[in-house]
Amino acid sequence: MDLSDMRKKYKGDEECFEENQLVSLDPFKQFGDWFDKATECPEIGEANAMCIASATKDGRPSARMVLLKGYSNEGFRFFTNYESRKGSELVSISYLSSS
């Protein structure tokens, strides 16, 4: 199956934002601005849905969807079932990424 027609044109330099256009250089303040805008957008059903990814000690990647429950300068809080596979994996790791 050829999927090459699905590619979308990336924005040119003239359409990209500059650092001086950010609300703040503080990543949590900037996130807050983007999150507030996302919650006001009717096309976004769950602005607090996020993907977290990690790797086991032997390097096996794992990603899962969770719901963001809050954030502060200390980090992001999300909900997961501690008794699920993803919950037990999170207990055994030190780092994860989110998007």
Side-chain angles (χ1 to χ4, degrees), residues 45-97:
E46 284 185 298
N48 64 328
M50 60 190 263
C51 178
I52 58 171
S54 60
T56 61
K57 292 177 183 176
D58 62 346
R60 182 176 289 255
S62 181
R64 73 282 290 161
M65 298 301 294
V66 297
L67 295 176
L68 179 67
K69 293 297 182 181
Y71 64 95
S72 69
N73 290 339
E74 296 177 9
F76 297 92
R77 287 187 329 272
F78 56 87
F79 172 82
T80 191
N81 180 348
Y82 291 110
E83 296 177 12
S84 68
R85 178 186 58 84
K86 66 182 173 186
S88 61
E89 286 177 354
L90 291 173
V91 170
S92 67
I93 60 167
S94 299
Y95 303 100
L96 60 88
S97 67

